[in-house]
Amino acid sequence: MSSGVETRTIPAGSGRELCVELAGEPDGKPILVHTGEPMSRRLYGGWIADAEQKGIRLIGYDRPGYGGSTPHPGHTVSSGAQDVRAIAEALGHDRIGIWGISGGGPYALGCAALLPDVAVAVAAVASLAPYGIEGFDYFAGMGESNVEGVKLFFSDPEASRRDLREAREEILAATPEQFADELESLLSPADAAVLTGDLARWLTETHKVALSAGDQGWWDDGAASLADWGFDLGDIRVPVKIWHGRQDRFVPVQHGQWLAASVPGAEADISDRDGHLTMIGRIGEIHDWLLQYF
């Protein structure tokens, strides 16, 4: 990890605080990262190296209830945009590039819709689509553990919360090898091949940081992604690009295809070779795409 990584706490209104991680070039072009669910502010080493090389100030943060950020029960995807505005203002940035991966994708798109004055461009990487779209199969091609988790959330919320608490305890106790084993039903061959070494260690660590304070953040984050996001994708006018892999079993490719068709003017990179976790290694391309809009 770079020696230049800084952790900072930022006020977010109503007595809440957000815990932020900063890396790369302090005076560089600011790019904010929405990580997945349940993940934290911790930035992957490869992303930091890319930011240092390209003169980017890379900004990660804990969504409410994760890591060092105050819980905000009942928060929505759209309220996440106001948290991003608070971060940008506290750090002195008028305009920022934004990307979100997996469960962070909806929050990135929320910034595109609700912060057109702040977001120069937005990338959604292996992102979820909204739940409950008429005629859209949310679950086709999705790994068993994710399907079961979503269905239980709606059918028996109390059992779902118990499962979440148990899963949190397992994650906090897991080695990287055990963590990888827990993901087995979600791993395509492409993803299984990369879930080793530094990537497995970082994924385990960022989950542990996110869940260190309790399970409230994870519960609220999941509920927000499955509820109404609070904005219309059709209202987006800033540049958006959707990245998705056809071998993704965490968030199947039709999610990215639907998003690309639903955001006006969106570009799309739908890859035959990628899964979900392999996208973590493609962030350099995403940074390049965002930098052209500054």
Side-chain angles (χ1 to χ4, degrees), residues 90-233:
L91 297 177
H93 299 305
D94 295 329
R95 306 278 280 155
I96 57 177
I98 295 168
W99 62 267
I101 190 165
S102 189
Y107 292 92
L109 293 166
C111 293
L114 300 169
L115 303 180
D117 57 322
V118 175
V120 296
V122 170
V125 186
S127 175
L128 289 164
Y131 184 79
I133 303 158
E134 192 173 342
F136 176 76
D137 192 339
Y138 193 88
F139 297 115
M142 186 179 282
E144 185 182 358
S145 63
N146 278 6
V147 174
E148 288 174 353
V150 172
K151 290 187 172 177
L152 187 64
F153 174 83
F154 288 108
S155 67
D156 191 342
E158 287 183 13
S160 177
R161 187 68 186 260
R162 285 195 301 272
D163 273 11
L164 203 72
R165 288 192 176 123
E166 289 173 13
R168 173 182 174 263
E169 295 296 335
E170 288 171 6
I171 290 169
L172 291 176
T175 64
E177 293 74 22
Q178 289 166 334
F179 183 77
D181 288 345
E182 285 297 313
L183 296 178
E184 188 178 5
S185 83
L186 302 172
L187 296 175
S188 63
D191 283 334
V194 297
L195 189 52
T196 60
D198 283 346
L199 182 59
R201 283 190 291 275
W202 171 76
L203 277 171
T204 308
E205 180 196 20
T206 185
H207 279 71
K208 289 183 180 189
V209 170
L211 299 175
S212 59
D215 69 334
Q216 188 68 42
W218 193 3
W219 178 257
D220 292 335
D221 201 25
S225 69
L226 293 168
D228 188 311
W229 289 359
F231 60 90
D232 187 341
L233 291 165

Side-chain angles (χ1 to χ4, degrees), residues 235-293:
D235 292 338
I236 292 174
R237 295 294 178 266
V238 305
V240 168
K241 188 165 181 177
I242 308 294
W243 268 267
H244 221 109
R246 291 189 188 277
Q247 297 188 51
D248 193 336
R249 296 182 61 190
F250 290 76
V251 181
V253 67
Q254 72 268 17
H255 288 247
Q257 291 167 324
W258 186 91
L259 291 169
S262 301
V263 175
E267 298 178 58
D269 181 320
I270 307 295
S271 158
D272 290 337
R273 70 182 185 279
D274 280 300
H276 194 75
L277 303 179
T278 61
M279 287 296 188
I280 293 167
R282 293 191 64 191
I283 298 306
E285 297 170 53
I286 290 150
H287 288 164
D288 291 340
W289 181 81
L290 288 168
L291 285 170
Q292 69 184 320
Y293 290 99

